[in-house]
Amino acid sequence: MNTVLPLLESPTRPFVLPDSAREGLATTPFGLYVHVPFCATRCGYCDFNTYTSDELGPGANRAEYAGTAIAELRRAADALGPDLPTVSTVFVGGGTPTLLPADDLAAVLAEIRELFPVAGDVEVTTEANPETVTPQSLARLREAGFTRVSLGMQSAAEHVLAVLDRRHTPGRAVEAAHEARAAGFEHVNLDLIYGTPGESDEDWAASLDAVLASPVDHVSAYALIVEDGTRLARRISRGELPMTDDDVLADRYVQADATLQKAGFHWYEVSNWATGDAARCRHNELYWANANWWGVGPGAHSHVGGLRWWNVRHPAAYADRLAAGLSPAQDAELLSEADRALETIMLGLRLRDGLPLDALSAIGRERARGAVADGLLEPEAHAAGRAVLTDRGRLLADAVIRDLTD
Ligand SMILES: C[S@@+](CC[C@H](N)C(=O)[O-])C[C@H]1O[C@@H](n2cnc3c(N)ncnc32)[C@H](O)[C@@H]1O
Ligand code: SF4
């Protein structure tokens, strides 16, 4: 289904968007993602597009990277214009964005403001590793217009952090959350991972307690995914570490949800809890609503009006393409109406608000009745015309989604 599109086709028209993708630009929420592909070391479980070397080539080294990302932002503004969509969210992710000087991240944001109309209430998030921020760098980011910090904590247990190859101490993430609040960030998130080999129920309870004792308004908790090709996967296959079983993962999720709900954090997506609507991550909501976003950086994915494309993965290839005035897109696909409808269902079903039953096919609606009978979808919401997962449904979210979309 891959389609060669003008975006990729011609070196002389390197960033052209087809007219079909432009429809709805003005009315669909629009976000920018900026990928920063650097980490000090690679965590054993992680297969994100990130590099530990600082010798990646001209334009791709850390010191030059902000300038290269800005070059793509300029192309993006050219391609999307002349009637540019208003930026409602910016998300700088990685990798470790905070390995770049705060001034570089500030320069990227300043350029976005130069190039695009930006909403008055724009949400601007940066991901950050706890050991890479200081009170000074956080103050600089806040002053530059960042509104939200998302810190990778993963666990409060030292031996769990060791299995994950994290570089920070158990207390550092919570300390960094305090520093972010002191720097004026109203919105602070901590990411947790559960199900790490060797993690006990008590370790997980202690991680949740540590998060709740910190000044955050948002928590993301992800089951550890053992990605092929990672050091963690090799250690498990050699028998050095045990594989966590699905029942333990389900127990951990139930424990997290109960603890977080009791403390006033409400789930709004299967893996995300917030203290209220204002604390939700609007950038992720934009993804889940299948809205429009441009992803800047090596390996970054974009979606505009049913056209999806992704950039070349290596930072050197990415920088070379931009230096030559070419699109860094490696490939693209034009989603059919049916593909888009399916994606909307798959993303929407994971949300607290669920989705209207009439978004489902006739067979899907029939199966939704069965899912209500099985205790997987909420009966009241179903009677009101929506498909919303029950607590048990959330544990089996992937299976429910498969069943309703088959
Ligand atoms: C890719 S990291 C980027 C931010 C930052 N470098 C960090 O580590 O916090 C974003 C989040 O993805 C999650 N993550 C990455 N790999 C994962 C995996 N294999 N299983 C579960 N969660 C994962 C972690 O919770 C991490 O905080
Ligand atoms: S610091 Fe974050 S992005 Fe980097 S390797 Fe670890 S989990 Fe992946």
Side-chain angles (χ1 to χ4, degrees), residues 47-121:
D47 78 341
F48 279 63
N49 190 34
T50 187
Y51 301 81
T52 54
S53 166
D54 194 27
E55 302 292 322
L56 294 169
N61 293 328
R62 285 178 206 169
E64 295 163 86
Y65 183 72
T68 304
I70 284 172
E72 189 183 352
L73 282 167
R74 291 184 179 149
R75 310 281 174 176
D78 278 351
L80 291 163
D83 299 319
L84 285 167
T86 298
V87 177
S88 58
T89 62
V90 177
F91 194 103
V92 184
T96 306
T98 43
L99 268 190
L100 296 186
D103 280 346
D104 285 16
L105 300 181
V108 170
L109 184 55
E111 186 71 16
I112 288 171
R113 289 186 178 282
E114 280 289 310
L115 292 168
F116 289 89
V118 169
D121 65 346

Side-chain angles (χ1 to χ4, degrees), residues 103 108 165 227 242 259 271 287 294 316 320 329:
D103 280 346
V108 170
D165 296 322
E227 304 280 4
T259 309
S271 305
Y287 290 153
W294 191 296
D320 285 352

Side-chain angles (χ1 to χ4, degrees), residues 39 41-43 45-46 50 94-96 129 166:
C39 287
T41 52
R42 181 179 284 276
C43 307
Y45 58 93
C46 179
T50 187
T96 306
N129 286 36
R166 299 293 291 185

